[in-house]
């Protein structure tokens, strides 16, 4: 009888040990799963989603056969992200859809040749300015009647929808404003005779004429406005704006900003 009791006791202890080990194994798996989930979350947190209207050369564009988006803004945001120790995921969004995408939290950051102005400040928080621009005008080379913005009355002007150029041109009395999705569409309208002038940010006009080798057009020297570009984040995300500003400042101090500027505009920033 004693022998049977002893065997039963030993068996019970063995079963208890197996159950304990199984319990430990289950806890380890749960811990591993939790750790894996935490790691994935941490990894996701190291990527910021960037929205940009990738049709605004030389700031953002995509050449045929190129997988990555190119341009001054693209190089700059990648350099800022590197300084911050994060990765970037760039999404191509129509310009007039950028701020709504930011408000919907589809993206975390906007960089797209976006002018800092009071109207936009009501919806987003801007970084420190990273580029000084201004609106200039391109006309056909044989155009003799348009020599300044004052001469635009009675003429058709092509602009990109949702931009400050569209807003400012609408203030000029007697101008027929034609809005298009991209700067390229505006220039096509000019060359085909559907518009008498294109008004856009100066670097975009410069790039169109010099880099694209376009002929039959000319850019007038006069500027309609002077404006600064900024990187936008959600209105309440001042922490991210602060990190972007710190990274931007560092890039200007260590010369990296000047290298990017020279690559796209020639020479150091004045």
């Amino acid at each position: 009888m004693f022998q049977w009791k002893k065997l039963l006791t030993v068996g019970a202890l063995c079963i208890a040990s197996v159950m304990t080990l199984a319990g430990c194994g289950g806890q380890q798996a749960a811990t591993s799963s939790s750790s894996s989930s935490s790691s994935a979350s941490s990894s996701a947190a190291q990527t910021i989603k960037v929205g940009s209207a990738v049709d605004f050369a030389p700031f953002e564009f995509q050449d045929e056969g190129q997988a990555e988006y190119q341009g001054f803004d693209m190089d700059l945001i990648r350099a800022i992200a590197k300084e911050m120790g994060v990765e970037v995921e760039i999404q191509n969004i129509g310009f007039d859809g950028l701020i709504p995408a930011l408000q919907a939290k589809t993206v975390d950051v906007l960089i797209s040749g976006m002018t800092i102005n009071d109207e936009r400040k009501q919806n987003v928080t801007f970084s420190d300015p990273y580029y000084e621009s201004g609106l200039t005008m391109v006309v056909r080379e044989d155009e003799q009647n348009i020599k300044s913005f004052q001469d635009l009355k009675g003429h058709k002007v092509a602009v990109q929808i949702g931009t400050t150029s569209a807003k400012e041109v609408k203030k000029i009395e007697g101008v027929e404003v034609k809005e298009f999705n991209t700067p390229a569409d505006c220039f096509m309208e000019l060359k085909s005779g559907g518009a008498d002038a294109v008004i856009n940010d100066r670097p975009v006009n410069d790039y169109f004429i010099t880099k694209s080798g376009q002929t039959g057009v000319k850019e007038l020297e006069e500027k309609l406005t002077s404006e600064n570009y900024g990187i936008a984040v959600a209105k309440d995300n001042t922490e991210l704006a602060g990190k972007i500003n710190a990274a931007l400042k560092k890039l200007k101090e260590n010369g990296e900003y000047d290298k990017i500027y020279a690559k796209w505009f020639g020479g150091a920033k004045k």
Side-chain angles (χ1 to χ4, degrees):
M1 185 71 174
F2 172 79
Q3 186 68 20
W4 279 108
K5 283 184 178 180
K6 187 174 180 180
L7 288 172
L8 287 170
T9 301
V10 171
L13 288 171
C14 287
I15 292 171
S17 292
V18 171
M19 291 180 68
T20 300
L21 288 172
C24 288
Q27 181 62 37
Q28 185 176 4
T31 302
S32 175
S33 174
S34 174
S35 174
S36 174
S37 174
S38 174
S39 174
S41 175
S42 173
S43 175
Q46 294 303 306
T47 299
I48 56 173
K49 295 181 179 180
V50 177
S52 185
V54 189
D55 53 16
F56 195 58
F59 288 91
E60 40 270 324
F61 63 99
Q62 186 175 30
D63 274 341
E64 187 176 347
Q66 292 284 343
E68 282 195 338
Y69 297 132
Q70 302 176 69
F72 178 75
D73 282 353
M74 301 293 93
D75 285 353
L76 182 62
I77 197 63
R78 290 183 184 114
I80 287 172
K82 184 177 179 181
E83 194 65 44
M84 291 169 58
V86 299
E87 299 291 330
V88 293
E89 178 187 307
I90 299 170
Q91 298 182 25
N92 185 9
I93 302 170
F95 193 87
D96 55 345
L98 287 173
I99 290 179
L102 185 65
Q103 292 173 323
K105 303 188 184 302
T106 304
V107 294
D108 308 303
V109 173
L110 302 178
I111 184 167
S112 195
M114 184 173 285
T115 301
I116 299 172
N117 60 33
D118 291 337
E119 182 180 349
R120 289 174 180 151
K121 282 181 180 179
Q122 294 177 17
N123 298 300
V124 304
T125 291
F126 277 108
S127 69
D128 294 333
Y130 70 86
Y131 185 89
E132 184 179 345
S133 184
L135 299 178
T136 60
M137 175 167 43
V138 175
V139 296
R140 286 183 292 277
E141 197 167 39
D142 59 358
E143 178 62 65
Q144 298 298 320
N145 295 322
I146 303 175
K147 297 179 180 179
S148 72
F149 289 99
Q150 292 182 341
D151 298 328
L152 286 175
K153 186 175 181 179
H155 290 281
K156 299 174 182 178
V157 178
V159 295
Q160 184 181 8
I161 190 170
T163 61
T164 52
S165 56
K167 180 180 178 181
E168 292 300 323
V169 173
K170 289 174 183 177
K171 295 178 182 178
I172 303 175
E173 185 181 350
V175 172
E176 181 182 336
V177 181
K178 304 184 75 173
E179 297 181 88
F180 297 90
N181 288 325
T182 70
D185 292 337
C186 295
F187 292 124
M188 284 179 63
E189 188 72 4
L190 174 67
K191 296 201 75 173
S192 69
D196 304 307
V198 169
I199 294 179
N200 220 326
D201 291 9
R202 180 170 188 170
V204 177
N205 289 337
D206 288 347
Y207 187 85
F208 169 73
I209 294 172
T210 60
K211 299 290 185 180
S212 302
Q214 292 293 327
T215 58
V217 297
K218 61 185 177 183
E219 183 178 13
L220 305 183
E221 286 297 319
E222 184 185 8
K223 278 187 181 181
L224 181 60
T225 63
S226 180
E227 53 199 57
N228 290 312
Y229 291 171
I231 299 167
V233 300
K235 183 71 174 174
D236 58 352
N237 203 347
T238 52
E239 180 183 357
L240 180 55
K243 290 179 179 178
I244 290 171
N245 284 337
L248 184 58
K249 182 181 179 184
K250 187 72 179 290
L251 293 174
K252 289 183 176 180
E253 290 173 348
N254 64 22
E256 189 62 28
Y257 177 92
D258 283 343
K259 289 179 183 177
I260 297 171
Y261 187 95
K263 175 182 176 181
W264 294 104
F265 304 111
K269 182 179 183 301
K270 298 177 180 179

